[in-house]
Amino acid sequence: MKIYTTDKIRNVVILGHGGAGKTTLVEAMAYLAGVTNRMGKVVDGNTISDYDKEEIKRGFSISTSVIPIEWGDTKINILDTPGFFDFVGEVEEAAAAADAAIIVINGKAGVEVGTQKAWEICEKYHLPRLICVTGMDDDNASFRQVVQDMQELYGKKIAPFHIPLRANEKLVGLINLISQEAFKWDRNGNTVPTDVPDYSHANIELLRETLVEAVAETSEEYMERYFEGDEFSDNEIRQALRVSVQDGSIVPISVAAGIDAHGVFTLLDDIVKYLPSPDKKECKAINTKSNEVFDVDFNFAKPKTAYIFKTIVDPFIGKYSLIKVTSGVIKTDDVLYNEERGMDDKIGKVYILRGNKPEEVSELHAGDIGALAKLNKVVTTDTLSTKATPVTFIRTAISKPYTYMAYKPVNKADVDKVSQSLQKMMQEDLTLKVVNDSENRQTLLYGIGDQQLDVVVSKLQEKYKVQITLEQPKVPFRETIRKKADVESKYKKQSGGHGQYGHVKMTFEPSGDLESPYVFEQIVVGGAVPKNYFPAVEKGVQDAVEKGPLAGYPVVGVKATLYDGSYHPVDSSEMAFKTASIQAFKKGFMEASPVLLEPISSLKVLVPDAYTGDIMGDLNKRRGRVLGMNPVEGGKQEIVADIPTASLFGYNTDLRSMTGGSGTYSYEFARYEQAPSDIQEKEIAARAEEQ
């Protein structure tokens, strides 16, 4: 592929609901651009962007892939993203690297939750966008309904560019709403002018009025002319659209049938014509030497900088760091500085990736997207720059994972191999997290949703040849006491020669501080227990609180007071007093009305207004306490509640089911509270079986 300057580059992320036809559309683009000589199909597992075995097996995108194509004198870097919500981290990485977006809507399914999430992502990253309604070769698809629904959601900025031309229940051509001309596709896919059918005139008039109204909204002068009944010329409409699409005040909507590549030629022309090149976008970094803002602005004349927006780690093709060049021109064998790691990296060869196929290039200009191989210590969201002008960018905010399961290797000998494999997968996917929960002797695997965790299990087996099983995680309960107990414990052992003797009298009561395991005091008088044994008594308490007598959970909130005891001048030892202390703790704890404490999480659920009743009802069933509701922009409500952490298991799946995928949630640990008696009894019985 030849080298492209910044003004001849378009970085476009493809967004939309799962199954809307994004990958098929990308395949059609690649085919028309001559990248492939035949169109692959998702069902056949031979598309250029869904190359991973898991994607082929499941029939949907899991990772973002970059497909660079050449269209005329322009290079279009297409970022094909997953539509399923579990893989939102991939979407966020791609959106951060893009300069514009295409939101894909299936004409038959209409506007879906994923459509609205795609719009929200565009708003978050300030991306100009086009909307492409696919699947228009299906007779049940309704372009007019999609336009109407999108305008109800987002107002008059939704401006139709084309409407479908049908014959015999098939999409055979398009009608251009600007010129009001119609054309059909011949057998070779070329456009042939044709007459506008009589039945289309009413629809053209209606939708063209929508387009003209959107244009009129772009300036006061146009608005006055519109109200005066003045007609806009085709050139005036096109010029207004060029400016307004780039600033986001107009969002064009057009049609395509990806499987036949119909309408895709026009879409590619519109990408080049209406969507901005990188140099139209501001880009700022922090110069770490001067601590001042550095305007990189995709200027090729400024010092070299690049942002690593994604990492690919594959046992077969190795490690690639996907970069967006933010200023300067990056060339083979450049030495770049990583401020975050404090190290230089000789980058070696420069590549572009097309799916999983690397192609070497000599250089990448500001604004372009490419890949660097085998950069050892760099991670996604790192910045590369020069040592003379070291800079860092604000890291892309990636969604935090809240769904988790405990995992175990099927083969115990694979523990290290599983850990290393997961580390590699976490480099690729920032929404994956492994947490070692030592107190419950379990390792937790976090992700956005159950489907993502299922993919991880499958990838470990396919790519890394190790197997793990997922199981419901143990809840980190705590144990404490509610009353005071006074106990005596004597440890005495005679076995020839020196024996063992330790004798303590202690009280155990609530300390009032559930943040700390224990408080230890001694009020011994008269040397009944010598001072040098006090640390041993405390060590006994310290060891005992690690695993409580009630159900084996860590103990919190206990005050232990040593007030009396006795010793033997020969047989007493630190070991004996420590053992006596442990025995006293176990006895005193069980006599002081022991209870189990369960963790309580502070939960926030964000849902559209229509679902608030269902959500609150469900939270009540989960023993949650709703504390309030806060209205949020976009017709949504934030429901705030306290809920037992144990009740959140499986909540992600249930929330999506209740809200059609539109609900999201987050939580954090708040405090411990006494568990209800039925929960306590059940947990004690379960732990007894494990012993």
Side-chain angles (χ1 to χ4, degrees), residues 209 211-244 249-250:
E209 182 62 24
L211 173 65
V212 171
E213 201 172 334
V215 169
E217 297 262 346
T218 61
S219 75
E220 288 183 18
E221 180 197 339
Y222 278 11
M223 185 62 82
E224 282 178 26
R225 286 177 57 189
Y226 175 73
F227 283 127
E228 288 169 6
D230 195 2
E231 286 285 325
F232 299 134
S233 69
D234 292 357
N235 280 339
E236 284 177 325
I237 292 174
R238 287 193 173 94
Q239 189 55 41
L241 290 171
R242 279 194 179 92
V243 175
S244 302
S249 56
I250 284 183

Side-chain angles (χ1 to χ4, degrees), residues 577-687:
F577 273 98
K578 178 184 169 185
T579 305
S581 172
I582 291 172
Q583 291 173 349
F585 182 92
K586 289 178 179 176
K587 185 180 177 185
F589 191 91
M590 295 307 288
E591 288 179 10
S593 188
V595 291
L596 212 56
L597 300 174
E598 64 177 349
I600 303 296
S601 290
S602 177
L603 174 71
K604 291 179 180 177
V605 187
L606 194 64
V607 290
D609 281 334
Y611 298 110
T612 51
D614 293 343
I615 299 303
M616 288 194 285
D618 179 70
L619 290 176
N620 287 332
K621 288 179 192 171
R622 294 172 183 269
R623 300 191 289 124
R625 294 191 297 273
V626 176
L627 304 177
M629 284 202 311
N630 307 313
V632 178
E633 194 178 341
K636 292 186 176 182
Q637 291 283 346
E638 182 186 65
I639 300 169
V640 182
D642 280 350
I643 188 168
T645 305
S647 299
L648 285 171
F649 185 76
Y651 188 61
N652 181 63
T653 303
D654 292 347
L655 178 63
R656 285 186 189 171
S657 176
M658 284 185 287
T659 63
S662 61
T664 58
Y665 73 106
S666 63
Y667 63 86
E668 59 184 21
F669 171 76
R671 63 188 173 280
Y672 275 94
E673 286 184 4
Q674 186 176 333
S677 56
D678 58 327
I679 301 289
Q680 177 167 317
E681 288 166 15
K682 185 179 173 184
E683 193 58 33
I684 292 171
R687 294 290 275 202

Side-chain angles (χ1 to χ4, degrees), residues 163-168 170-177 180-184 192-205:
I163 62 172
L165 188 62
R166 292 181 176 281
N168 301 320
K170 287 283 182 186
L171 180 71
V172 295
L174 297 177
I175 300 170
N176 186 314
L177 286 175
Q180 300 181 74
E181 295 170 335
F183 59 85
K184 284 185 176 180
V192 179
T194 188
D195 294 331
V196 176
D198 291 340
Y199 65 81
S200 293
H201 283 296
N203 207 18
I204 290 171
E205 201 171 308

Side-chain angles (χ1 to χ4, degrees), residues 97-119:
D99 304 308
I102 294 172
I103 298 176
V104 179
I105 302 174
N106 182 281
K108 185 178 178 181
V111 176
E112 299 174 271
V113 172
T115 312
Q116 296 175 59
K117 285 185 181 282
W119 186 278

Side-chain angles (χ1 to χ4, degrees), residues 353-623:
L353 277 185
R354 188 174 280 117
N356 65 341
K357 293 182 173 59
E359 181 184 322
E360 193 179 335
V361 292
S362 60
E363 60 188 45
L364 291 170
H365 281 243
D368 210 347
I369 285 174
L372 306 175
K374 298 173 185 173
L375 297 183
N376 292 322
K377 293 185 180 177
V378 303
V379 298
T380 305
T381 72
D382 274 2
T383 301
L384 300 175
S385 56
T386 63
K387 214 160 191 174
T389 313
V391 305
T392 58
F393 291 100
I394 294 173
R395 295 178 184 273
T396 304
I398 303 295
S399 290
K400 188 176 175 181
Y402 290 102
T403 300
Y404 64 96
M405 297 281 279
Y407 79 84
K408 287 181 180 175
V410 172
N411 183 350
K412 287 184 178 178
D414 286 340
V415 170
D416 289 342
K417 200 173 176 186
V418 168
S419 177
Q420 290 162 10
S421 302
L422 284 170
Q423 286 298 325
K424 289 176 181 176
M425 292 175 75
M426 285 190 286
Q427 285 184 50
E428 282 195 291
D429 188 347
L430 300 186
T431 62
L432 282 180
K433 188 172 74 169
V434 171
V435 174
N436 182 30
D437 177 13
S438 55
E439 72 180 42
N440 286 303
R441 298 184 296 283
Q442 61 181 357
T443 315
L444 305 174
L445 179 62
Y446 279 77
I448 299 296
D450 296 325
Q451 191 175 52
Q452 182 188 17
L453 299 185
D454 184 47
V455 166
V456 169
V457 173
S458 196
K459 274 191 175 182
L460 284 171
Q461 187 171 348
E462 285 290 328
K463 276 190 177 182
Y464 297 98
K465 309 304 178 192
V466 288
Q467 287 181 277
I468 63 169
T469 56
L470 299 180
E471 53 192 46
Q472 185 166 338
K474 295 171 186 170
V475 177
F477 287 97
R478 295 284 185 269
E479 298 180 20
T480 195
I481 51 177
R482 290 183 298 174
K483 294 181 181 176
K484 185 174 182 178
D486 189 335
V487 294
E488 178 180 4
S489 174
K490 186 180 287 186
Y491 179 66
K492 190 175 180 183
K493 195 173 182 183
Q494 198 69 42
S495 56
H498 279 309
Q500 294 287 342
Y501 183 89
H503 176 213
V504 295
K505 293 181 180 179
M506 301 179 74
T507 59
F508 297 93
E509 60 193 307
S511 70
D513 177 15
L514 295 180
E515 298 288 319
S516 304
Y518 71 94
V519 174
F520 176 74
E521 285 185 2
Q522 61 75 27
I523 50 173
V524 177
V525 291
V529 177
K531 286 181 182 179
N532 57 307
Y533 293 131
F534 293 168
V537 175
E538 183 176 358
K539 186 68 170 68
V541 175
Q542 186 181 339
D543 286 1
V545 297
E546 288 179 5
K547 198 173 179 183
L550 188 62
Y553 286 106
V555 171
V556 293
V558 171
K559 181 181 178 183
T561 305
L562 172 67
Y563 70 89
D564 200 1
S566 63
Y567 73 103
H568 188 281
V570 176
D571 291 349
S572 284
S573 67
E574 290 185 2
M575 185 66 197
F577 273 98
K578 178 184 169 185
T579 305
S581 172
I582 291 172
Q583 291 173 349
F585 182 92
K586 289 178 179 176
K587 185 180 177 185
F589 191 91
M590 295 307 288
E591 288 179 10
S593 188
V595 291
L596 212 56
L597 300 174
E598 64 177 349
I600 303 296
S601 290
S602 177
L603 174 71
K604 291 179 180 177
V605 187
L606 194 64
V607 290
D609 281 334
Y611 298 110
T612 51
D614 293 343
I615 299 303
M616 288 194 285
D618 179 70
L619 290 176
N620 287 332
K621 288 179 192 171
R622 294 172 183 269
R623 300 191 289 124

Side-chain angles (χ1 to χ4, degrees), residues 36-323:
T36 57
N37 53 20
R38 68 182 185 87
M39 273 187 62
K41 293 180 180 176
V42 172
V43 290
D44 295 339
N46 59 358
T47 62
I48 193 171
S49 57
D50 282 1
Y51 56 84
D52 188 88
K53 279 186 180 178
E54 284 301 311
E55 294 175 316
I56 293 166
K57 181 172 83 177
R58 295 168 188 268
F60 58 76
S61 300
I62 291 169
S63 302
T64 290
S65 53
V66 183
I67 312 295
I69 65 171
E70 295 170 290
W71 193 250
D73 63 351
T74 302
K75 178 186 182 185
I76 305 174
N77 289 312
I78 303 164
L79 296 129
D80 182 21
T81 66
F84 288 96
F85 307 137
D86 280 21
F87 310 104
V88 66
E90 297 283 335
V91 180
E92 290 163 335
E93 289 173 353
D99 304 308
I102 294 172
I103 298 176
V104 179
I105 302 174
N106 182 281
K108 185 178 178 181
V111 176
E112 299 174 271
V113 172
T115 312
Q116 296 175 59
K117 285 185 181 282
W119 186 278
E120 288 167 7
I121 285 168
C122 290
E123 292 290 296
K124 179 181 175 182
Y125 292 96
H126 309 294
L127 296 176
R129 68 218 72 154
L130 302 176
I131 296 168
C132 181
V133 184
T134 60
M136 290 308 297
D137 45 351
D138 190 313
D139 199 45
N140 293 315
S142 173
F143 178 71
R144 184 174 167 180
Q145 188 63 51
V146 171
V147 172
Q148 191 176 314
D149 291 347
M150 288 299 282
Q151 286 180 331
E152 282 179 12
L153 282 169
Y154 307 114
K156 293 175 182 175
K157 63 165 68 176
I158 305 295
F161 270 24
H162 309 94
I163 62 172
L165 188 62
R166 292 181 176 281
N168 301 320
E169 300 183 352
K170 287 283 182 186
L171 180 71
V172 295
L174 297 177
I175 300 170
N176 186 314
L177 286 175
I178 299 173
S179 62
Q180 300 181 74
E181 295 170 335
F183 59 85
K184 284 185 176 180
W185 295 290
D186 64 16
R187 286 182 179 178
N188 300 318
N190 298 316
T191 55
V192 179
T194 188
D195 294 331
V196 176
D198 291 340
Y199 65 81
S200 293
H201 283 296
N203 207 18
I204 290 171
E205 201 171 308
L206 184 72
L207 290 173
R208 191 174 194 278
E209 182 62 24
T210 302
L211 173 65
V212 171
E213 201 172 334
V215 169
E217 297 262 346
T218 61
S219 75
E220 288 183 18
E221 180 197 339
Y222 278 11
M223 185 62 82
E224 282 178 26
R225 286 177 57 189
Y226 175 73
F227 283 127
E228 288 169 6
D230 195 2
E231 286 285 325
F232 299 134
S233 69
D234 292 357
N235 280 339
E236 284 177 325
I237 292 174
R238 287 193 173 94
Q239 189 55 41
L241 290 171
R242 279 194 179 92
V243 175
S244 302
V245 171
Q246 292 193 11
D247 68 17
S249 56
I250 284 183
V251 178
I253 181 166
S254 58
V255 296
I259 211 152
D260 296 318
H262 287 160
V264 179
F265 192 104
T266 308
L267 178 65
L268 286 165
D269 277 351
D270 287 346
I271 288 171
V272 173
K273 202 183 299 178
Y274 294 110
L275 296 182
S277 54
D279 54 357
K280 298 288 193 293
K281 192 176 179 181
E282 278 189 351
C283 184
K284 298 180 185 297
I286 297 293
N287 184 323
T288 55
K289 192 181 278 186
S290 65
N291 212 24
E292 293 177 352
V293 174
F294 181 63
D295 297 318
V296 293
D297 293 338
F298 302 103
N299 186 334
F300 79 96
K302 290 194 173 183
K304 302 171 195 280
T305 63
Y307 181 72
I308 298 172
F309 70 90
K310 180 174 169 56
T311 303
I312 296 173
V313 183
D314 190 282
F316 307 110
I317 67 170
K319 177 181 175 181
Y320 284 93
S321 301
L322 270 62
I323 61 166

